[in-house]
């Protein structure tokens, strides 16, 4: 049996913590004097459709979220990121918005949202929303008016191009496959959509569009939300020539889409016009951005965004559509690069799971019964001790796993049939190989209902059938069981969050990989002034002896299992054993 050992003493420090920058400078206070609270935050992402259904219709809702706020507070998270809750025809699970100032009826009402804000505030929890403004739904009134007439004032809200015989105006592909253009017979032109045809791209070069976006942001900020996660924000500025891409560019078109000439101008305008007037945080989805470009967004002197989600981690086991084996050395390189920011005023995000990614324990750990709990705790240790603000996705704290898939009919994601058509039917990719990778990398893995208990539908809903199928392993993996067991994955997450708050080095400390060449051990330090923390993780299914003189005088803070001790710097590491030491 794995046993958790925590040597925490007293309450976690943090409320009165002096904000010290990673370089030792007092760089964590904004020009207006407000604390950069988001650097010390632990953020919990909720996918509302799959979190908790309170009214029994099979779909998660805002009242369900309200009911579970104490659960999130008790975990130790202090900020919630809500995936889209806005009015939507739901072609892409809410990322196709038809009214930015209304709540999707399936989720509740604006009154329900106001109650959520009040209850969260009373519990000391902030709320950030998903801002999806690269595109709208094709059912948005702006697009309906845009497609109705070339003379409509809304025509220029979107990107229309004429082309001969309805052929695409250029060779740009959708991020999900197929052309990025759809011909509208009634309009006599094609419109651009970098994702599905149900998500036409907004024309940010039109000042009226930017004014609309700023109005939307102010609407929610005035309601008290604490910021935004900005979906596909790197794609809002388009290449003005709309030229064809070269064969080389077509191999990774996202890098073209993220290279619009006015991207940074528009982000600075957004900051100046809206964000700088509130004490909020922003985190952008940096799809198509290379690591060296991240400081252009996050350097506080540029006044654009606070953080971004870089895609290095989610590409570690991908080659195009293929799922591939990943060496630990690659993971170490990514974290080492994040630990030496190009600008001292840049700040990172740390995440493994989210609504677009497969389950972390299935991807970075080992989700088979002998190793699932230990590896879930090990990668949680990694998540909560790296440089940057950590993001936890619902169910990650339980060690929830990927779903079993038997065929294409098991997938709900709108992206799947688009990619299948593009890759298998048009490009001749082997269907079995594509399906195998899809099982491991598909977005639906993260979107199955939250596993609350052992009752029908995992306690997610009292409806006969939830909107999407429940993982059949819910009888073994669920919140009720985790809460009752002091050595569960949940309790290890909770203790790690407390450790993170107790040791400022884990938030603001410099990072050093102490054994970059070891193929199974991830051993690194976080140091702030004279305070130093060591993190030692066996990222493998085998046990072995490990030696480091640094361990000889270190004091164990927390471990994910019974500790074997250290003698003269030598210790035995069980498979997926993880320890944090004060050095």
């Amino acid at each position: 049996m794995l046993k958790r050992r925590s040597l925490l003493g007293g309450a976690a420090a943090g409320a009165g913590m002096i904000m010290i920058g990673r370089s030792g400078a007092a760089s964590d206070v904004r020009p207006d004097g407000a604390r950069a609270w988001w650097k010390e935050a632990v953020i919990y992402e909720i996918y509302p459709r799959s979190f908790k259904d309170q009214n029994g219709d099979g779909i998660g809702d805002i009242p369900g979220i309200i009911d579970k706020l104490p659960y999130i507070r008790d975990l130790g998270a202090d900020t919630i990121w809500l995936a889209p809750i806005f009015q939507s025809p739901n072609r892409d699970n809410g990322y196709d918005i038809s009214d930015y100032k209304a709540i999707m009826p399936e989720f509740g009402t604006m009154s329900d949202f106001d109650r959520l804000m009040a209850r969260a505030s009373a519990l000391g929890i902030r709320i950030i929303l998903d801002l999806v403004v690269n595109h709208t739904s094709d059912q948005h009134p702006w697009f309906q008016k845009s497609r109705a007439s070339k003379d409509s004032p809304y025509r220029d809200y979107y990107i229309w191009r004429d082309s001969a015989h309805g052929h695409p105006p250029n060779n740009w592909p959708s991020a999900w496959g197929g052309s990025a253009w759809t011909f509208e017979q009634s309009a006599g032109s094609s419109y651009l959509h970098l994702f599905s045809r149900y998500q036409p791209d907004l024309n940010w070069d039109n000042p009226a569009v930017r004014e609309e976006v700023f109005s939307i942001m102010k609407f929610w900020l005035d309601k008290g939300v604490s910021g935004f996660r900005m979906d596909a924000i790197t794609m809002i500025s388009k290449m003005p020539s709309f030229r064809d891409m070269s064969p080389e560019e077509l191999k990774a078109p996202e890098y073209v889409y993220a290279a619009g000439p006015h991207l940074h101008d528009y982000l600075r305008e957004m900051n100046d016009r809206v964000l700088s007037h509130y004490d909020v945080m922003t985190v952008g989805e940096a799809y198509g951005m290379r690591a060296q470009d991240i400081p252009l967004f996050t350097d506080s002197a540029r006044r654009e965004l606070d953080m971004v989600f870089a895609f290095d981690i989610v590409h570690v086991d991908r080659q195009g559509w293929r799922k591939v084996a990943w060496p630990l050395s690659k993971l170490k390189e990514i974290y080492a690069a994040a630990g030496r920011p190009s600008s001292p005023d840049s700040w990172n995000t740390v995440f493994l799971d989210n609504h677009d990614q497969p389950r972390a324990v299935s991807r970075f750990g080992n989700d088979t019964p002998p190793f699932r709990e230990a590896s879930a705790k090990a990668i949680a240790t990694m998540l909560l001790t790296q440089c940057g603000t950590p993001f936890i996705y619902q169910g990650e704290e339980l060690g929830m796993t990927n779903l079993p898939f038997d065929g294409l009919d098991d997938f709900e994601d709108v992206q799947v049939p688009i990619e299948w058509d593009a890759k298998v039917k048009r490009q001749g990719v082997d269907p079995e190989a594509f399906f195998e990778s899809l099982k491991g990398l598909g977005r639906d893995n993260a979107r199955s209902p939250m596993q609350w208990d052992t009752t029908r539908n995992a306690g997610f809903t009292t409806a006969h059938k939830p909107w999407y199928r429940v993982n059949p392993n819910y009888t073994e993996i669920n919140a009720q069981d985790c809460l009752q067991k002091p050595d569960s994955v949940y309790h290890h997450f909770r203790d790690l969050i407390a450790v993170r708050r107790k040791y400022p080095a884990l938030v603001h400390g410099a990072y050093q990989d102490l054994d970059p060449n070891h193929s199974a051990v991830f051993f690194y330090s976080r140091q702030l002034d004279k305070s130093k923390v060591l993190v030692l993780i066996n990222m493998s299914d085998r046990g072995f002896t490990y030696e480091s003189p640094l361990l000889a005088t270190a004091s164990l803070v927390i471990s994910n299992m019974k500790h074997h001790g250290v003698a003269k710097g030598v210790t035995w590491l069980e498979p997926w054993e993880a320890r944090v030491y004060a050095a």
Side-chain angles (χ1 to χ4, degrees):
M1 176 183 289
L2 303 180
K3 292 186 178 180
R4 174 181 51 87
R5 182 184 180 191
S6 173
L7 300 183
L8 295 178
M17 188 182 297
I18 298 173
M19 302 294 284
I20 301 296
R22 201 178 300 162
S23 63
S27 60
D28 292 341
V29 177
R30 291 182 169 185
D32 61 3
R35 276 182 58 176
W37 55 266
W38 39 269
K39 292 189 176 183
E40 293 184 339
V42 175
I43 300 177
Y44 188 95
E45 184 193 355
I46 288 178
Y47 195 68
R49 182 166 292 272
S50 296
F51 190 62
K52 184 68 172 74
D53 171 25
Q54 196 76 349
N55 66 0
D57 65 355
I59 299 169
D61 48 39
I62 294 173
I65 297 171
I66 295 172
D67 182 60
K68 293 299 182 181
L69 285 176
Y71 168 88
I72 297 169
R73 177 204 57 194
D74 292 346
L75 177 65
D78 51 21
T79 305
I80 290 172
W81 155 25
L82 287 181
I85 55 172
F86 315 110
Q87 179 65 58
S88 168
N90 216 36
R91 290 281 192 172
D92 185 24
N93 284 339
Y95 282 87
D96 50 324
I97 297 169
S98 55
D99 188 341
Y100 288 93
K101 297 180 181 179
I103 302 294
M104 190 184 303
E106 293 171 336
F107 292 161
T109 65
M110 190 63 76
S111 177
D112 290 327
F113 179 81
D114 292 339
R115 287 196 301 114
L116 171 64
M117 289 296 299
R119 180 62 175 146
S121 178
L123 293 173
I125 297 173
R126 299 175 188 261
I127 303 288
I128 65 171
L129 299 182
D130 222 315
L131 186 70
V132 188
V133 288
N134 174 70
H135 50 265
T136 70
S137 164
D138 64 345
Q139 300 304 304
H140 196 290
W142 299 343
F143 189 72
Q144 293 297 311
K145 295 173 183 177
S146 181
R147 78 196 325 173
S149 169
K150 290 185 177 182
D151 297 325
S152 168
Y154 288 91
R155 184 70 168 186
D156 199 35
Y157 271 46
Y158 297 86
I159 299 168
W160 295 89
R161 291 293 182 273
D162 294 333
S163 55
H165 310 296
H167 293 303
N170 60 29
N171 65 351
W172 290 10
S174 158
W176 294 345
S179 175
W181 299 91
T182 290
F183 181 70
E184 281 270 324
Q185 191 71 43
S186 60
S189 303
S190 297
Y191 65 88
L192 179 71
H193 52 87
L194 297 185
F195 296 93
S196 87
R197 66 186 179 92
Y198 306 110
Q199 295 163 297
D201 277 41
L202 286 165
N203 177 19
W204 273 68
D205 291 340
N206 182 351
V209 168
R210 302 200 297 277
E211 288 295 331
E212 297 275 16
V213 171
F214 300 157
S215 172
I216 292 164
M217 295 173 72
K218 291 175 182 177
F219 175 83
W220 292 104
L221 291 171
D222 288 341
K223 277 187 166 289
V225 303
S226 293
F228 301 102
R229 178 265 186 182
M230 298 183 174
D231 183 75
I233 197 66
T234 52
M235 298 185 170
I236 58 176
S237 176
K238 306 301 191 280
M239 185 194 303
S241 68
F242 288 91
R243 61 167 175 80
D244 279 352
M245 289 190 201
S246 68
E248 191 63 25
E249 288 173 327
L250 286 171
K251 294 178 183 178
E254 64 270 22
Y255 293 107
V256 176
Y257 296 146
H262 301 297
L263 172 59
H264 295 286
D265 296 331
Y266 294 155
L267 291 178
R268 280 191 292 273
E269 182 183 13
M270 178 189 294
N271 194 305
D272 291 342
R273 294 284 305 282
V274 182
L275 298 170
S276 61
H277 301 281
Y278 301 83
D279 179 22
V280 297
M281 62 85 78
T282 53
V283 53
E285 182 186 31
Y287 188 49
M289 297 307 304
R290 293 176 171 85
Q292 62 266 28
D293 297 323
I294 299 304
L296 295 176
F297 295 89
T298 60
D299 188 325
S300 60
R302 293 176 58 85
R303 298 177 66 82
E304 294 186 20
L305 303 177
D306 295 318
M307 302 177 281
V308 298
F309 290 124
F311 277 69
D312 306 67
I313 287 292
V314 303
H315 287 159
V316 73
D317 60 346
R318 293 176 185 259
Q319 287 182 355
W321 57 267
R322 295 176 181 84
K323 179 173 174 57
V324 296
W326 57 275
L328 181 58
S329 59
K330 183 62 177 176
L331 205 65
K332 291 181 180 183
E333 289 171 9
I334 292 169
Y335 284 128
R340 50 176 187 269
S342 302
S343 164
D345 290 328
S346 289
W347 196 256
N348 302 321
T349 59
V350 190
F351 73 100
L352 298 172
D353 257 354
N354 66 33
H355 65 280
D356 278 338
Q357 303 301 326
R359 287 292 179 178
V361 69
S362 299
R363 188 178 197 177
F364 299 102
N366 184 334
D367 63 7
T368 57
F371 301 114
R372 182 191 65 85
E373 286 197 64
S375 67
K377 294 174 186 177
I379 60 177
T381 303
M382 181 176 70
L383 174 76
L384 287 159
T385 57
Q386 286 290 334
C387 296
T389 299
F391 287 73
I392 300 168
Y393 180 68
Q394 63 184 50
E396 186 175 3
E397 76 281 6
L398 308 178
M400 282 179 60
T401 68
N402 279 356
L403 287 165
F405 294 98
D406 296 322
L408 284 183
D409 290 343
D410 286 342
F411 291 91
E412 191 276 340
D413 184 4
V414 66
Q415 183 176 344
V416 170
I418 296 173
E419 286 193 319
W420 184 270
D421 183 72
K423 300 294 191 297
V424 176
K425 293 184 178 180
R426 298 186 184 185
Q427 297 178 21
V429 167
D430 178 69
E432 291 188 10
F434 187 82
F435 181 67
E436 282 303 309
S437 285
L438 190 61
K439 288 195 296 183
L441 297 175
R443 301 194 299 178
D444 283 329
N445 282 304
R447 300 179 179 185
S448 63
M450 181 74 170
Q451 294 164 207
W452 291 107
D453 56 40
T454 59
T455 62
R456 190 180 67 174
N457 297 323
F460 163 70
T461 180
T462 58
H464 177 70
K465 185 177 181 181
W467 80 274
Y468 191 51
R469 62 198 181 95
V470 175
N471 194 317
N473 66 14
Y474 75 90
T475 55
E476 290 81 37
I477 305 172
N478 59 77
Q480 182 183 59
D481 183 67
C482 278
L483 288 169
Q484 292 172 350
K485 293 180 178 178
D487 62 345
S488 69
V489 178
Y490 172 93
H491 284 292
H492 191 66
F493 262 90
R494 188 190 65 177
D495 287 351
L496 283 167
I497 291 171
V499 168
R500 185 176 185 273
R501 293 205 165 106
K502 183 174 182 179
Y503 291 88
L506 288 175
V507 179
H508 303 286
Y511 175 90
Q512 183 181 1
D513 190 336
L514 300 172
D515 197 351
N517 297 318
H518 200 291
S519 62
V521 167
F522 201 178
F523 186 33
Y524 53 92
S525 67
R526 302 292 309 280
Q527 183 163 358
L528 181 67
D529 298 327
K530 295 181 180 180
S531 174
K532 188 174 186 178
V533 176
L534 305 177
V535 182
L536 177 65
I537 309 172
N538 177 4
M539 298 284 289
S540 76
D541 294 346
R542 61 187 180 88
F544 49 80
T545 298
Y546 186 74
E547 180 177 2
S548 170
L550 293 172
L551 299 175
T553 57
S555 175
L556 183 68
V557 175
I558 187 172
S559 174
N560 67 340
M561 57 184 68
K562 185 177 180 180
H563 183 43
H564 288 277
V566 178
K568 297 180 180 180
V570 179
T571 189
W572 175 264
L573 288 176
E574 294 287 351
W576 296 101
E577 184 168 1
R579 306 176 196 163
V580 177
Y581 292 91

